[in-house]
Amino acid sequence: MAKRSLKAYEDVLLRPEGLAGAVDFEEIFGRRGPVHIEIGSGKGTFLLAQAGHAPDVNFLGIERANKYYRYAVDRIGRWGLANVRIIRADAARFLSEHVGDSAVDWFHVYFPDPWPKKRHHKRRFVSGSNMAQMVRCLKTGGVIQIVTDHTDYFEEIQKAIEAQGKRLDTIAFTPAAGSGDGELTGTNYERKYIKNKRDIYSIAVRKG
Ligand SMILES: C[S@@+](CC[C@H](N)C(=O)[O-])C[C@H]1O[C@@H](n2cnc3c(N)ncnc32)[C@H](O)[C@@H]1O
């Protein structure tokens, strides 16, 4: 069967070229509204379900890999979801250069690359400094939800949260709209890991 070509829907993609300083989310989405950022949105499965479920929320997916970014843009565009934008960027850099203080309501970080080899741990997204970045970008009352299948990465994530001290309170995890029975996020990786019977760890915190 011939491979379907992916369409670069201009209304969905947010081009990193030309961005200078903090982005104006109201301008990007053409309206006011809560801003949810998904880091490492992969094929866009979470965004697709969640944006359909919460049309009043503005969703931005940040995806570094061109292959997944293109796939997700095509998918969101075909579904005609007007409340989603996707940018191809390194999330750490995008947050530090283009997201202002107290601009974001939620961060969703589902199955971030675990980089299992010790010498690669420094490539992991959820580090002390990126946690501090997310907290800076969050509004008071804003939430960070993280899910991983890696025990030692989860320990590192918990340490990064603890390092924020009283700025973050642990709260109950809110399952995603697209999650089925026994799922938290309904993403492709979660489904794969559940099938492989891997343990899954999750945490949700609120900025006080
Ligand atoms: C293991 S996959 C998980 C994808 C999806 N969240 C899921 O649960 O199915 C991790 C994704 O994060 C992306 N990624 C890794 N590091 C990133 C970074 N620094 N900035 C943006 N995306 C990143 C990868 O390209 C990949 O698509």
Side-chain angles (χ1 to χ4, degrees), residues 6-33:
L6 302 176
K7 194 169 160 190
Y9 288 86
E10 288 293 329
D11 293 349
V12 177
L13 53 87
L14 175 64
R15 296 191 186 278
E17 312 82 46
L19 290 182
V23 295
D24 178 347
F25 286 112
E26 215 174 303
E27 192 185 318
I28 288 172
F29 289 95
R31 64 174 192 175
R32 284 189 183 193

Side-chain angles (χ1 to χ4, degrees), residues 38-43 62-65 68 89-92 110-115 123 125 185 187-190 193:
E38 186 189 15
I39 291 177
S41 41
K43 292 183 171 179
I62 309 177
E63 174 52 57
R64 189 167 59 183
Y68 298 127
D90 168 53
Y110 301 144
F111 301 94
D113 287 334
W115 295 105
R123 298 184 190 174
F125 173 76
T185 68
T187 67
N188 299 39
Y189 272 79
E190 182 174 36
Y193 292 147

Side-chain angles (χ1 to χ4, degrees), residues 6-150:
L6 302 176
K7 194 169 160 190
Y9 288 86
E10 288 293 329
D11 293 349
V12 177
L13 53 87
L14 175 64
R15 296 191 186 278
E17 312 82 46
L19 290 182
V23 295
D24 178 347
F25 286 112
E26 215 174 303
E27 192 185 318
I28 288 172
F29 289 95
R31 64 174 192 175
R32 284 189 183 193
V35 173
H36 285 215
I37 292 186
E38 186 189 15
I39 291 177
S41 41
K43 292 183 171 179
T45 303
F46 165 78
L47 292 172
L48 199 66
Q50 201 70 23
H53 172 80
D56 296 336
V57 174
N58 296 326
F59 290 91
L60 175 66
I62 309 177
E63 174 52 57
R64 189 167 59 183
N66 194 34
K67 186 167 96 174
Y68 298 127
Y69 158 77
R70 290 182 58 232
Y71 189 96
V73 168
D74 175 78
R75 214 171 166 200
I76 299 292
R78 275 188 291 122
W79 280 78
L81 289 165
N83 57 332
V84 183
R85 302 289 180 274
I86 304 179
I87 186 164
R88 183 180 172 213
D90 168 53
R93 196 165 163 197
F94 181 78
L95 295 187
S96 67
E97 293 181 6
H98 298 300
V99 182
D101 297 352
S102 308
V104 176
D105 294 82
W106 279 66
F107 281 103
H108 303 270
V109 190
Y110 301 144
F111 301 94
D113 287 334
W115 295 105
K117 289 187 183 145
K118 201 167 171 78
R119 70 176 188 279
H120 292 154
H121 282 186
K122 56 182 177 298
R123 298 184 190 174
R124 288 175 166 175
F125 173 76
V126 189
S127 59
S129 60
N130 285 337
M131 181 62 66
Q133 275 298 336
M134 287 195 282
V135 172
R136 175 189 67 76
C137 297
L138 272 186
K139 293 176 187 165
T140 301
V143 172
I144 303 173
Q145 291 205 149
I146 306 176
V147 184
T148 179
D149 64 311
H150 255 254

Side-chain angles (χ1 to χ4, degrees), residues 179-199:
S179 59
D181 269 357
E183 295 177 350
L184 294 168
T185 68
T187 67
N188 299 39
Y189 272 79
E190 182 174 36
R191 289 187 176 151
K192 184 166 94 178
Y193 292 147
I194 287 177
K195 216 164 153 188
N196 295 344
K197 300 200 176 343
R198 289 187 69 91
D199 288 332

